[in-house]
Amino acid sequence: MEGNTKKSNANSSSGNNNRGESVVYDYGRLKNSCGYCKSTGSTSIFHGSWADSITVDDYQDLLDRGWRRSGSLLYKPEMEKTCCPSYTIRLRASDFVPSKEQQRVSRRMQRFVDGALDVKKSVEAVEDPGICASACKEVSSLGTKETSSVTKKEKNMGDHITDYLSEQVDNVVWTCRESGQFPCSVQLPKASVKKVSQAKRKLLVEGAENLMYSSNIAFQIAATIRQVQSIAKDASQSAEDNPLPPKIIAEKLAASLDQLEKTNSLSIRACNGHINFYTAATQASSNKDSHIATISQESATGRKGCSLRNSSLHPKGKRRRLEIRLKRSSFDPEEFALYRRYQINVHNDSPDDISESSYRMFLVDTPLVPVQPSGDDRVPPCGFGSFHQQYVIDGHLVAVGVIDILPKCLSSKYLFWDPDFAFLSPGKYSALQEIGWVKENEVYCPSLQYYYLGYYIHSCSKMRYKAAYRPSELLCPLRYKFCAFTKWRVVTASCLRKCHGRTG
């Protein structure tokens, strides 16, 4: 497969002649811009091949020599030349030990399914008609002078509004973390939005009289990331990414909050690292160096019946049905619609850049020759090949994992999910489910023992989260043997210098 021939016909390496034939065309060295370090030049250098068809056994062998696939394109980074060296990373499923954070993800999903997860604190309180009236009054009168005679119910509704805004910021933090804008391996603090007192507003700059709520979460995130990166730098003795300053973090979050409903009740502005919530009166003022979004009265207090927006979408107390469906890779309009929404909201892709044809080439088309169940211990009950694993809650498609099931492993290729469910950490949850799937199916197919997570890229902070699934192994690009990640993590940079004469 790695030779210089332009076309290769091969039966499976394991001698299973009934598993089809591999037909591969060699493209040689290819260069492109890098999506990891965001280089503008052609610094990503890899060897490429096009597969008309490939047996699951041959593709398994290629994985174990550092190759991956994107649709029907097979590629392998040239480690001594490419800008971001990429190491195949895998985990023996039976040895997996979940971290506390991964256990929390599982428990959170279980509580959500059981109807016990309090997605919005004290949801039941806003179902009281009296409090609903106070809620509407509180939101509609945000720009008026505060009175000293605030009723208990109005005070409670003020708490509900700050809780709601805190939850919206939390959801955006989760989305940024899942998309790699913040380090996935760092436990980030929860957001807290607080009401700004009248006295404090008078001490601020002109126009601040319309400032009602504020959050300093950006400062907390920046401090947490800086602390973790400082520890990692001391351990590895390698250069780390410059931590994001609070101002940039606040701008990212405010820009993401722009996805909320856009009306004229509240505006959201990033200001010197703070996320500030203003009444609509400030929208006429200058918004230079600001990122503004709006929240409507319906968003803050819910539908006209004054129930909360997220509580309406995820009501507490109602048991839900979670289904995980495994299906052969094929085009599904519902999956494509979810993919579009995910790419637009999480990765900020332009809708014009997301076409059905590009989606098919990336996540639907596959050269893998499918293998049907054989009834013996050589093939799992689902067979081998390319699959889409759907996560469905109460009939609603919330996530899709694109995977390859091979003789020795489940190879994870891509995941896309509904942004409304970011608080459930679908990326982590799906990885845990895929690891569990390998454990369960090893009983039927003893050779199927590993979970392949794709590439570990030490020079890219967005890709280091894969090492959180322990104990993992990295593929040595020189000897093509897997080595325990614990032997690599402190000396990865020095290994790169020794092996390739460059830093990672």
Side-chain angles (χ1 to χ4, degrees):
M1 288 287 180
E2 295 181 52
N4 295 320
T5 57
K6 296 297 182 183
K7 185 174 181 178
S8 173
N9 296 303
N11 288 321
S12 66
S13 60
S14 64
N16 294 307
N17 294 328
N18 62 326
R19 291 188 177 178
E21 186 175 62
S22 297
V23 180
V24 178
Y25 300 86
D26 182 42
Y27 283 170
R29 175 181 290 175
L30 301 174
K31 298 181 179 180
N32 207 341
S33 59
C34 182
Y36 300 118
C37 63
K38 306 299 181 183
S39 65
T40 54
S42 298
T43 58
S44 178
I45 303 173
F46 56 96
H47 196 101
S49 299
W50 183 267
D52 278 350
S53 64
I54 187 167
T55 66
V56 293
D57 301 278
D58 284 338
Y59 185 56
Q60 177 71 70
D61 291 341
L62 287 181
L63 283 185
D64 292 338
R65 294 187 69 85
W67 290 75
R68 296 286 291 172
R69 76 173 184 90
S70 176
S72 295
L73 175 68
L74 307 175
Y75 62 96
K76 176 185 178 182
E78 293 194 4
M79 301 287 274
E80 72 281 3
K81 298 182 183 296
T82 192
C83 55
C84 295
S86 308
Y87 296 84
T88 298
I89 183 169
R90 76 177 187 181
L91 164 78
R92 185 188 289 269
S94 60
D95 293 341
F96 173 59
V97 179
S99 66
K100 290 183 178 179
E101 169 62 20
Q102 290 158 356
Q103 291 173 353
R104 280 194 291 267
V105 169
S106 293
R107 290 196 298 266
R108 185 186 303 123
M109 176 63 82
Q110 189 59 55
R111 291 199 306 273
F112 181 72
V113 171
D114 291 341
L117 181 65
D118 200 351
V119 180
K120 173 65 186 72
K121 295 180 180 179
S122 304
V123 174
E124 61 278 2
V126 298
E127 294 175 353
D128 178 17
I131 297 182
C132 286
S134 297
C136 296
K137 178 180 178 181
E138 173 75 7
V139 175
S140 63
S141 62
L142 286 174
T144 64
K145 184 179 180 181
E146 293 179 335
T147 63
S148 58
S149 57
V150 179
T151 67
K152 183 177 180 180
K153 288 184 177 180
E154 287 172 331
K155 185 178 184 300
N156 286 341
M157 268 319 302
D159 293 339
H160 288 308
I161 292 171
T162 55
D163 287 346
Y164 171 78
L165 295 176
S166 298
E167 183 183 337
Q168 299 309 303
V169 177
D170 265 338
N171 288 343
V172 169
V173 171
W174 275 107
T175 300
C176 289
R177 185 181 178 186
E178 290 291 319
S179 64
Q181 296 182 58
F182 300 150
C184 294
S185 59
V186 178
Q187 179 65 35
L188 297 177
K190 291 186 71 65
S192 176
V193 175
K194 296 183 178 180
K195 189 167 185 175
V196 180
S197 68
Q198 180 79 358
K200 189 170 184 179
R201 290 202 293 268
K202 289 181 179 180
L203 298 175
L204 300 177
V205 297
E206 183 180 356
E209 62 272 10
N210 293 309
L211 171 62
M212 300 304 299
Y213 304 97
S214 184
S215 174
N216 65 352
I217 183 63
F219 291 92
Q220 298 177 51
I221 291 175
T224 302
I225 294 175
R226 185 166 56 249
Q227 181 182 17
V228 172
Q229 289 186 347
S230 176
I231 295 172
K233 184 176 181 179
D234 292 340
S236 65
Q237 301 298 317
S238 62
E240 295 287 339
D241 298 333
N242 293 326
L244 292 172
K247 182 178 178 181
I248 300 300
I249 293 175
E251 290 174 354
K252 283 178 176 289
L253 296 177
S256 297
L257 285 167
D258 189 49
Q259 303 299 331
L260 293 173
E261 310 243 352
K262 295 182 177 180
T263 59
N264 297 319
S265 276
L266 284 177
S267 65
I268 305 172
R269 182 176 302 174
C271 183
N272 297 324
H274 292 272
I275 301 176
N276 292 337
F277 298 80
Y278 299 82
T279 54
T282 58
Q283 293 186 36
S285 63
S286 171
N287 60 3
K288 184 179 180 181
D289 297 327
S290 298
H291 292 258
I292 297 179
T294 56
I295 291 182
S296 67
Q297 177 173 317
E298 283 191 20
S299 293
T301 59
R303 304 184 304 272
K304 292 182 179 179
C306 293
S307 61
L308 296 169
R309 176 179 176 272
N310 271 7
S311 299
S312 174
L313 184 60
H314 313 300
K316 184 185 176 185
K318 175 187 175 184
R319 287 190 60 86
R320 302 170 181 87
R321 181 177 181 181
L322 170 63
E323 299 175 86
I324 302 178
R325 306 169 181 170
L326 188 65
K327 58 188 281 289
R328 292 278 179 182
S329 180
S330 62
F331 180 77
D332 183 327
E334 186 180 12
E335 290 184 355
F336 176 57
L338 179 61
Y339 171 78
R340 277 182 59 87
R341 186 163 179 243
Y342 170 78
Q343 293 295 134
I344 292 170
N345 287 276
V346 176
H347 292 292
N348 299 316
D349 286 1
S350 168
D352 295 337
D353 294 335
I354 307 172
S355 65
E356 181 180 316
S357 60
S358 64
Y359 167 74
R360 285 178 180 269
M361 289 182 63
F362 179 35
L363 297 177
V364 178
D365 295 347
T366 174
L368 293 185
V369 180
V371 177
Q372 301 302 324
S374 59
D376 56 26
D377 62 358
R378 294 183 304 157
V379 183
C382 64
F384 293 133
S386 298
F387 295 83
H388 286 190
Q389 186 152 275
Q390 298 181 333
Y391 296 79
V392 180
I393 297 178
D394 289 343
H396 177 70
L397 182 67
V398 299
V400 177
V402 182
I403 60 177
D404 292 328
I405 297 176
L406 305 172
K408 288 168 55 179
C409 73
L410 182 155
S411 175
S412 180
K413 188 173 183 296
Y414 200 71
L415 178 83
F416 51 95
W417 38 268
D418 187 334
D420 283 341
F421 290 80
F423 66 96
L424 290 175
S425 303
K428 292 183 178 134
Y429 183 77
S430 65
L432 297 175
Q433 290 300 309
E434 289 166 0
I435 293 171
W437 186 93
V438 175
K439 286 183 180 179
E440 293 172 2
N441 283 270
E442 186 179 352
V443 175
Y444 305 103
C445 180
S447 65
L448 206 166
Q449 300 179 9
Y450 291 95
Y451 177 56
Y452 281 54
L453 295 89
Y455 287 134
Y456 172 82
I457 304 176
H458 186 74
S459 58
C460 178
S461 59
K462 295 181 181 179
M463 301 298 285
R464 293 182 199 155
Y465 74 92
K466 298 180 180 183
Y469 298 89
R470 303 186 180 99
S472 55
E473 302 174 322
L474 295 181
L475 180 69
C476 173
L478 299 180
R479 300 176 179 85
Y480 297 118
K481 292 184 178 180
F482 282 94
C483 305
F485 181 83
T486 51
K487 296 180 180 179
W488 284 67
R489 83 180 157 187
V490 174
V491 293
T492 300
S494 61
C495 284
L496 288 171
R497 287 193 290 270
K498 291 178 183 178
C499 293
H500 310 302
R502 60 179 294 140
T503 60

